[in-house]
Amino acid sequence: MTSFTVDFNSVIDLTDEQFYQLCQKNRDLKFERSATGELIIMAPTGGETGNRNAGLTAQLWIWNQQQKLGQVFDSSTGFKLPNGANRSPDVAWVQQARWDALTPEQKAGFIPLCPDFVIELVSPSDRLTTVQEKMQEYRENGVQLGWLIDRKSQQVEIYRPNHDVEILKSPVSLAGEGILPGFVLSLDSVW
């Protein structure tokens, strides 16, 4: 379950619509695209990672159903970041006002904004430095809070605008701070 990065830039410059169609025609694969146009091809996650991703998404979704402050998205959702990259965080959340400002067409395709909140769960096939670079990219493109969860080291990296990355060792839970008021993510089932 390795990811591959392919640079087609010297051969073809995929439009947003062509990239979207490529993803639709190859649903067994997960694609992302870097800000420079490199195509990143990833195999589906394994059972343990998929199960834990579902648990993370479920916790956020339940909180959001009660609070009704935004929209929750799973790892199959594509976001078109302001820098031009197409990314699919493991878990994402967008404030309701930002979601409501989108047209029906924008909601139906890859969402043309950076989420307000993201979670990335490091899977066995991920290189930690690659996922850390992705978290930095989210922060540079407008994410207000990001959690990078590394099961192997039982460590969480917290990304916030204009702050150094905060590292927590074996936390039991994480608080959603001001962006997700009252949300507490339990990590018992993750570790």
Side-chain angles (χ1 to χ4, degrees):
M1 292 194 205
T2 304
S3 66
F4 298 95
T5 301
V6 182
D7 186 354
F8 289 119
N9 289 326
S10 63
V11 179
I12 186 171
D13 183 19
L14 289 177
T15 66
D16 288 344
E17 179 59 28
Q18 289 170 325
F19 178 69
Y20 181 79
Q21 290 304 321
L22 176 69
C23 294
Q24 297 305 302
K25 299 270 187 206
N26 295 279
R27 291 184 177 268
D28 290 341
L29 295 172
K30 182 177 175 183
F31 293 97
E32 289 186 335
R33 188 166 54 163
S34 73
T36 60
E38 295 170 321
L39 189 62
I40 302 148
I41 307 166
M42 297 167 279
T45 61
E48 285 187 0
T49 300
N51 176 265
R52 283 166 178 82
N53 278 343
L56 295 170
T57 304
Q59 288 186 62
L60 183 61
W61 190 86
I62 290 167
W63 168 85
N64 194 64
Q65 282 299 106
Q66 296 166 349
Q67 302 300 317
K68 305 221 183 289
L69 296 176
Q71 297 293 318
V72 177
F73 303 93
D74 70 5
S75 62
S76 61
T77 307
F79 289 87
K80 175 77 172 188
L81 303 183
N83 71 350
N86 292 94
R87 298 294 184 182
S88 298
D90 290 329
V91 181
W93 181 84
V94 173
Q95 292 178 15
Q96 192 64 47
R98 294 181 71 217
W99 176 252
D100 291 343
L102 299 174
T103 67
E105 294 78 21
Q106 290 172 319
K107 292 177 181 178
F110 293 142
I111 302 168
L113 53 77
C114 184
D116 296 291
F117 170 72
V118 296
I119 300 174
E120 288 285 357
L121 179 63
V122 179
S123 67
S125 62
D126 287 334
R127 284 188 31 231
L128 180 60
T129 56
T130 301
V131 185
Q132 288 170 325
E133 289 169 2
K134 190 189 294 189
M135 294 299 291
Q136 292 284 54
E137 182 178 48
Y138 291 136
R139 183 167 64 176
E140 291 166 3
N141 280 271
V143 83
Q144 297 301 302
L145 180 63
W147 296 336
L148 173 57
I149 302 172
D150 186 352
R151 292 180 57 228
K152 184 176 178 181
S153 66
Q154 290 198 350
Q155 181 172 292
V156 176
E157 295 181 10
I158 302 175
Y159 292 76
R160 301 176 188 94
N162 306 313
H163 288 83
D164 291 336
V165 175
E166 180 181 355
I167 299 174
L168 303 176
K169 187 72 176 159
S170 302
V172 175
S173 62
L174 298 169
E177 305 177 5
I179 192 74
L180 304 168
F183 177 60
V184 177
L185 180 73
S186 171
L187 293 169
D188 290 342
S189 62
V190 174
W191 304 136

